[in-house]
Amino acid sequence: MPLPQTEVPGRLQAELMSRGLRMTHQRRTILSVVETAKQHLDASQILRQARRLDPGIDRVTVYRTLGLLKRHGLIDELDLMHMQGEKHFYERRPQRDHIHMACLRCGKIAEFESDLFDRLKGQIQRECRFHIVVSRLEVGGYCAECRASN
Amino acid sequence: MPLPQTEVPGRLQAELMSRGLRMTHQRRTILSVVETAKQHLDASQILRQARRLDPGIDRVTVYRTLGLLKRHGLIDELDLMHMQGEKHFYERRPQRDHIHMACLRCGKIAEFESDLFDRLKGQIQRECRFHIVVSRLEVGGYCAECRASN
DNA sequence: TAATCTATTGCAACTGGGTTTCAACTTACG
DNA sequence: CGTAAGTTGAAACCCAGTTGCAATAGATTA
């Protein structure tokens, strides 16, 4: 399932600047990588891509920028069931939360939006009086293809 | 009056043995720690508790045993929104999955069972033809107490 | 436009959770 | 009891992520 391309390029930059943050060359580079990514990238992949645009960039700057984006709620951090070590993956925060399904056999990641998920979060907020800032639903299992070819 | 004991002691042990796994002294110790835990423990806490019962136990044995229990679906691994570094937490797999709510202010972890959650998983299995083996729903936000005292 | 102030960067060293390797040791089983 | 295969501990290792600090570069002001 490909990631939907629903955002105007430059939106993350605009968001950060509107919050009064200093816009450096390195940040612009990292933001553009995250913004135009077609799949979920981990920090080292983001570093590699950013270095193609600005070879001097350091991995610590990538980590710091990802932390910044996370704190501002502009990106989400995913674990994807820790199928490939302990690395984390990142994606622009979507308008509507979705579920990540990780196939334990082929490693494919699929996404799924569901009204039930939205209702569940509403129930949590109401019944537990818990104000949700970030949510993450990940499931591990076997996708249709892998179940068939078994 | 004794505390309510939700599980029969030794259930994890019995499960593992019934699957033909070798029952060593170290495993029995680690299993009893996990089984009687009153909160979510990370690997180093499990090690510390296990060493009170068997001082010679090594952390590598704890990691291996936790991996074993995970592979057999007897415990679940939690991230709890990575609020305290990158450590993982463990709990016996419950009969019915629950949601973990992590308060970003006071750090408290609350649990919540929901019919909507069960239905959502059913929807994923049906509509995505995805066979769920493990699921993890974690939300970060602010609990009722922290919202009040702000 | 230049001066200034302060956030940000890069580097190197470090941290910490988790894994690998391998010889020595146990456990289960006949 | 003897054996074979699974398990353990110790040390070294791996790797994602963080910290301390001097140098640098945005933003702001004059």
Side-chain angles (χ1 to χ4, degrees):
Chain A
M1 213 176 277
L3 291 176
Q5 190 72 10
T6 53
E7 300 276 347
V8 183
R11 200 182 145 253
L12 285 185
Q13 281 98 318
E15 271 290 340
L16 274 190
M17 291 191 79
S18 78
R19 297 177 196 211
L21 282 147
R22 205 169 276 192
M23 190 46 54
T24 65
H25 179 36
Q26 293 92 325
R27 280 186 184 164
R28 242 186 291 273
T29 304
I30 295 165
L31 264 50
S32 79
V33 168
V34 172
E35 209 151 45
T36 62
K38 295 283 178 287
Q39 337 85 39
H40 305 109
L41 302 177
D42 64 31
S44 68
Q45 291 173 310
I46 292 169
L47 173 62
R48 205 173 328 123
Q49 300 240 95
R51 279 197 167 146
R52 290 218 282 261
L53 302 167
D54 175 356
I57 222 160
D58 193 84
R59 68 203 190 93
V60 85
T61 302
V62 170
Y63 283 115
R64 287 195 273 232
T65 303
L66 290 173
L68 187 75
L69 292 167
K70 238 192 302 176
R71 283 196 304 282
H72 282 265
L74 298 173
I75 59 172
D76 281 315
E77 186 178 67
L78 312 172
D79 294 298
L80 301 182
M81 298 317 276
H82 302 298
M83 288 198 308
Q84 326 170 29
E86 299 303 315
K87 57 184 63 158
H88 297 133
F89 297 86
Y90 300 90
E91 69 181 8
R92 284 169 302 169
R93 175 165 296 190
Q95 317 74 341
R96 191 181 178 201
D97 277 346
H98 52 250
I99 295 144
H100 289 94
M101 294 171 281
C103 179
L104 301 172
R105 186 160 178 258
C106 69
K108 202 178 61 195
I109 305 295
E111 301 184 347
F112 182 57
E113 288 186 352
S114 163
D115 191 52
L116 278 176
F117 188 29
D118 302 326
R119 286 167 58 196
L120 172 56
K121 286 186 294 178
Q123 184 192 36
I124 292 168
Q125 306 221 66
R126 259 177 290 109
E127 295 188 16
C128 305
R129 295 176 46 242
F130 186 93
H131 177 240
I132 296 177
V133 172
V134 54
S135 69
R136 191 158 66 211
L137 172 50
E138 298 184 352
V139 308
Y142 297 98
C143 70
E145 295 73 46
C146 288
R147 290 169 70 190
S149 65
N150 229 338
Chain B
M1 186 166 283
L3 292 174
Q5 193 77 5
T6 51
E7 298 278 341
V8 182
R11 194 179 150 257
L12 286 184
Q13 280 99 316
E15 270 290 341
L16 275 189
M17 291 192 79
S18 78
R19 297 179 196 210
L21 281 148
R22 204 168 276 191
M23 190 46 53
T24 64
H25 178 36
Q26 292 92 326
R27 280 186 184 163
R28 241 186 293 271
T29 304
I30 295 166
L31 265 49
S32 79
V33 168
V34 172
E35 210 152 43
T36 63
K38 293 283 178 287
Q39 338 84 38
H40 304 109
L41 302 177
D42 65 29
S44 67
Q45 292 173 309
I46 292 168
L47 173 64
R48 205 174 328 123
Q49 300 240 95
R51 279 200 166 142
R52 291 219 280 261
L53 303 168
D54 174 356
I57 221 160
D58 194 83
R59 66 203 193 96
V60 83
T61 302
V62 170
Y63 283 116
R64 286 195 274 232
T65 303
L66 290 173
L68 186 76
L69 292 167
K70 239 194 299 178
R71 284 196 304 282
H72 283 264
L74 298 175
I75 59 171
D76 281 315
E77 185 179 68
L78 312 172
D79 294 298
L80 301 183
M81 298 318 274
H82 302 297
M83 288 198 308
Q84 326 172 28
E86 300 304 316
K87 56 184 61 158
H88 296 133
F89 297 86
Y90 300 89
E91 67 181 8
R92 283 169 303 171
R93 176 164 296 189
Q95 315 75 342
R96 190 180 179 202
D97 277 345
H98 53 249
I99 296 145
H100 288 95
M101 294 171 282
C103 179
L104 302 171
R105 185 159 177 261
C106 69
K108 201 178 58 195
I109 306 295
E111 302 184 348
F112 182 56
E113 289 186 353
S114 163
D115 192 51
L116 278 174
F117 188 29
D118 302 326
R119 285 167 58 196
L120 173 56
K121 286 187 293 178
Q123 183 192 38
I124 293 168
Q125 305 221 65
R126 261 178 287 108
E127 294 187 17
C128 305
R129 296 174 47 241
F130 187 94
H131 177 241
I132 296 177
V133 172
V134 54
S135 69
R136 191 159 66 210
L137 172 51
E138 297 184 353
V139 309
Y142 297 98
C143 70
E145 292 74 45
C146 288
R147 290 169 70 189
S149 65
N150 230 338

